[in-house]
Amino acid sequence: MKAGVILVGTELLNGGTVDTNSIYIGEELNRYGIEMEFKMAVRDVEEEILKALAYAKKNVDLVILSGGLGPTIDDITKQCIAKYCGVPLIVDPADVKILEAKFQDIHLPMIPSNIKQIEKPEGAVSFPNGAGMAPGIYIDGIAAFPGIPRELYDLLPKFLAWYEKEKNLGADRIYIRDILTYGLGESLLDNKVKGLFTEEGIYYEFLVKSHGTIIRLQSYQHHKKNVEKIVK
């Protein structure tokens, strides 16, 4: 199964914020045997978010968006998902009660604009946010979560556990094996070992670090024996 990640936020493109969410998303997807085929960052612009959604939906099974679920004018992710899916945004009364209780717990006033945080496209499944206000949502192969890391960390595991059962995913997890080398330049190293990299279904990459070059082999658990044979 393939996934694509769309990171929503102008601050990710103008140097205001460094993306770490996609690293976490990739690690979590690996645990469920879902490959991240691509990731992209887009500004808080409806046309650009819709364009990214259209590309992603054509190319992968699962689209994950991070960012743009807040209460402010630039938070338009759910609005774009609803428009893409051709459904209206709705508010579930049960979600309103949960949101009101959260504001009471932190002793802050809830104002009308906060309702935006619990809007969702009609027909979407909600996932409770244990670290913030806006729930995660899922509709028609599209999942969306807040961009605040602690909220993403709370929501993504809940969603993936649900998604695994919903889609009856198998137990074939992604298997990664790293070999740390030193003393050879990247091109010489490649020349020495490339003859070993002929196995179908195993991906290879060279990662140059300050302490040496890592050869990474990535596949699925059912290829584990073949991966280990190549490593040896």
Side-chain angles (χ1 to χ4, degrees):
M1 176 173 280
K2 304 283 188 179
V5 174
I6 302 172
L7 306 162
V8 181
T10 303
E11 71 278 4
L12 295 166
L13 294 167
N14 65 18
T17 299
V18 175
D19 163 47
T20 57
N21 283 353
S22 64
I23 298 171
Y24 174 73
I25 293 170
E27 290 170 345
E28 289 298 299
L29 290 175
N30 285 348
R31 296 180 57 237
Y32 287 85
I34 303 172
E35 290 186 79
M36 188 194 294
E37 184 168 304
F38 59 82
K39 65 177 180 179
M40 64 179 87
V42 296
R43 297 183 298 170
D44 302 294
V45 177
E46 182 178 290
E47 180 185 355
E48 295 173 16
I49 297 172
L50 288 171
K51 191 187 301 184
L53 277 170
Y55 173 83
K57 283 290 289 178
K58 287 179 183 177
N59 289 281
V60 292
D61 309 291
L62 174 63
V63 182
I64 295 177
L65 295 97
S66 170
L69 271 61
T72 58
I73 192 171
D74 58 329
D75 291 314
I76 59 172
T77 296
K78 289 182 288 188
Q79 168 187 317
C80 293
I81 294 171
K83 186 170 185 176
Y84 179 84
C85 294
V87 298
L89 285 171
I90 63 168
V91 175
D92 188 330
D95 289 335
V96 175
K97 291 182 179 179
I98 293 171
L99 187 63
E100 289 174 339
K102 287 184 176 184
F103 274 97
Q104 288 174 2
D105 287 343
I106 60 175
H107 306 291
L108 287 176
M110 178 175 155
I111 61 176
S113 62
N114 291 122
I115 293 295
K116 183 179 179 181
Q117 292 174 277
I118 56 171
E119 288 180 336
K120 63 183 178 182
E122 187 174 46
V125 179
S126 295
F127 299 89
N129 186 341
M133 301 299 179
I137 62 164
Y138 172 82
I139 181 172
D140 190 27
I142 302 170
F145 307 101
I148 298 172
R150 69 175 183 276
E151 298 185 35
L152 175 68
Y153 301 163
D154 177 81
L155 284 162
L156 186 61
K158 296 174 186 175
F159 164 72
L160 288 174
W162 173 87
Y163 189 76
E164 180 182 43
K165 293 178 182 177
E166 187 74 9
K167 298 298 181 181
N168 194 27
L169 300 181
D172 200 11
R173 307 299 196 228
I174 289 175
Y175 184 69
I176 295 175
R177 191 75 151 81
D178 286 347
I179 306 167
L180 175 61
T181 71
Y182 63 94
L184 281 179
E186 186 181 13
S187 56
L188 286 175
L189 179 62
D190 175 66
N191 192 56
K192 281 183 172 291
V193 301
K194 64 184 179 182
L196 300 172
F197 300 157
T198 59
E199 187 79 32
E200 288 290 330
I202 302 175
Y203 299 98
Y204 308 91
E205 58 183 335
F206 290 78
L207 308 172
V208 179
K209 306 292 183 180
S210 59
H211 51 276
T213 299
I214 293 172
I215 304 174
R216 173 164 292 177
L217 291 74
Q218 176 175 323
S219 190
Y220 285 91
Q221 285 287 344
H222 70 269
H223 279 307
K224 180 177 178 179
K225 288 184 179 179
N226 292 343
V227 170
E228 291 302 325
K229 182 180 178 181
I230 293 167
V231 170
K232 184 176 180 180

